Amino acid sequence: MKIKIIIVATLLSVTYGKARAQQGFKRVNAWLSEHTHEMGGRAILLVYKDGKVIYNHSVNDMSMKQKFVQKMVAKKQGKSAGLDDYNATTRQAIASCSKWLSAALVMTFVDEGRLKLSDTVGKYLPVLSQHGKGHITIVQCLSHLTAIKAAPLKQNLQEMKNISSMDQAIQDIAILPMEGEPGKVFHYSNAGLQIAGAVLEKISGKSFETLFAERIARPLNMQNTDFGKRRVALPAGGAFSTPQDYLNFLAMILNKGIFNGKRILSEANITQMQINRITPDVKVAYSPAEAGNFGYGYGEWIMGLHTVSSPGLFGSYPWVDTHKKYAAFLMTFYLKNDGRQERYVELKKLVDEALQ
């Protein structure tokens, strides 16, 4: 009789737990239905926990105007517009979500001892020394603390289209003005990670694209993720990926550097990446509005005590909650960033509630 009571109680507990979770995700579904139109008209959210994807939901609420814009953009690029629902294998540009991937790539060299976080960049890139920037460290490159006064992100993206080599990209960064002392000024930009990417190329003799494929994409089974295979990679914002691919990366971060039983990064360096480097003595020269008062580590924002993220210019939002032990990726594509931070916080809260 006691065994029967225990079994019944267990079943009721499991059933109740599932019911609560389903109710929670119903609210997530409703939130996506309500907000997708203002996030470009299409969105997909994947949630990973306990070794598997536990939630996968997409919404397509594109207006006639949004469809027209998509068609015009595609026409300029010589492509046909894809207006179908997003799915786990939809591939598109992920902008600054790239920064997390690139920082992880740099940390693979740190793990191997081929690079130290305290190394100064002039050791590898003499042109930076010639312009008074050789004392900037790899740490500062990964955390936007170079104190280089870089161009606005959109302008920099446009300028990069005319760059024919990594050396030219670094030459252009070398002549930019400084706005303070390295380590004392936070300026969110593409400059630091571009320098770090160039250092990796000098150390290895391989292109950034090849290094990413060998060290991150293939080990994490990110079959549809790369940096556009351009002449010059843009480590801070040039990646293309899919929800499933990026979730594989997040799973590795969540599992402290391990993916499918294989170690990709050391646990110590995963921890290093998640330490807030915007200390009280650091002046914030520029931070995107949607970042609010978040801290910043290596290639990732620190959202409170237990959450790390790296949102992109086009609205995609990856995050890992190390306390609740789950990861999630929201893929969207739009430029208007009004209310983004509030939406990120609201969505995460609903997902948190669904997982209680």
Side-chain angles (χ1 to χ4, degrees), residues 40-172:
R42 288 184 295 175
I44 182 170
L45 175 65
L46 271 64
V47 179
Y48 169 96
K49 185 175 173 59
D50 298 329
K52 59 184 179 295
V53 175
I54 62 169
Y55 178 81
N56 179 344
H57 185 69
S58 64
V59 174
N60 189 336
D61 188 26
M62 296 184 77
S63 66
M64 293 299 293
K65 180 180 179 180
Q66 287 169 329
K67 291 179 180 178
F68 176 77
V69 170
Q70 287 283 338
K71 289 178 180 177
M72 291 300 294
V73 171
K75 186 176 181 180
K76 287 182 179 180
Q77 297 175 340
K79 302 177 182 177
S80 58
L83 304 177
D84 295 336
D85 295 357
Y86 284 158
N87 59 55
T89 60
T90 298
R91 173 182 152 95
Q92 68 179 24
I94 57 172
S96 285
C97 301
S98 310
K99 290 178 171 66
W100 210 347
L101 305 177
S102 297
L105 176 59
V106 173
M107 297 305 276
T108 65
F109 280 81
V110 175
D111 273 337
E112 291 178 358
R114 299 177 68 184
L115 182 69
K116 294 180 180 178
L117 291 169
S118 59
D119 280 350
T120 54
V121 297
K123 175 180 178 181
Y124 306 98
L125 305 168
V127 67
L128 292 175
S129 296
Q130 294 166 17
H131 292 272
K133 298 178 178 66
H135 60 300
I136 292 169
T137 65
I138 298 299
V139 161
Q140 292 158 359
C141 289
L142 297 182
S143 51
H144 303 293
L145 295 174
T146 64
I148 294 172
K149 190 174 183 179
L153 295 173
K154 292 180 183 178
Q155 179 183 333
N156 180 250
L157 288 171
Q158 188 63 36
E159 292 172 351
M160 281 297 293
K161 292 180 180 179
N162 300 317
I163 299 296
S164 60
S165 69
M166 184 66 86
D167 286 344
Q168 183 185 348
I170 299 305
Q171 175 67 49
D172 287 354

Side-chain angles (χ1 to χ4, degrees), residues 100-117 138 142 196 200-201 203-204 208 210-220 249 252-253 257 262-270 272-273 298:
W100 210 347
L101 305 177
S102 297
L105 176 59
V106 173
M107 297 305 276
T108 65
F109 280 81
V110 175
D111 273 337
E112 291 178 358
R114 299 177 68 184
L115 182 69
K116 294 180 180 178
L117 291 169
I138 298 299
L142 297 182
L200 298 189
E201 291 196 353
I203 290 172
S204 66
F208 184 90
T210 298
L211 293 171
F212 176 76
E214 291 177 351
R215 292 166 170 261
I216 300 294
R218 289 174 195 161
L220 293 176
F249 175 78
M252 182 272 290
I253 298 294
K262 181 179 180 180
R263 181 159 293 284
I264 309 300
L265 284 177
S266 68
E267 183 174 345
N269 276 336
I270 292 290
Q272 283 293 313
M273 292 175 71
Y298 298 161

Side-chain angles (χ1 to χ4, degrees), residues 292-338:
N293 295 317
F294 298 154
Y296 202 87
Y298 298 161
E300 59 195 287
W301 293 98
I302 315 300
M303 302 168 60
L305 294 175
H306 306 293
T307 303
V308 285
S309 176
S310 186
L313 177 67
F314 306 133
S316 286
Y317 171 40
W319 79 90
V320 171
D321 188 316
T322 58
H323 178 64
K324 294 183 180 296
K325 300 187 186 309
Y326 80 92
F329 184 69
L330 171 73
M331 175 176 275
T332 63
F333 197 92
Y334 68 109
L335 289 174
K336 189 176 181 181
N337 62 8
D338 295 352

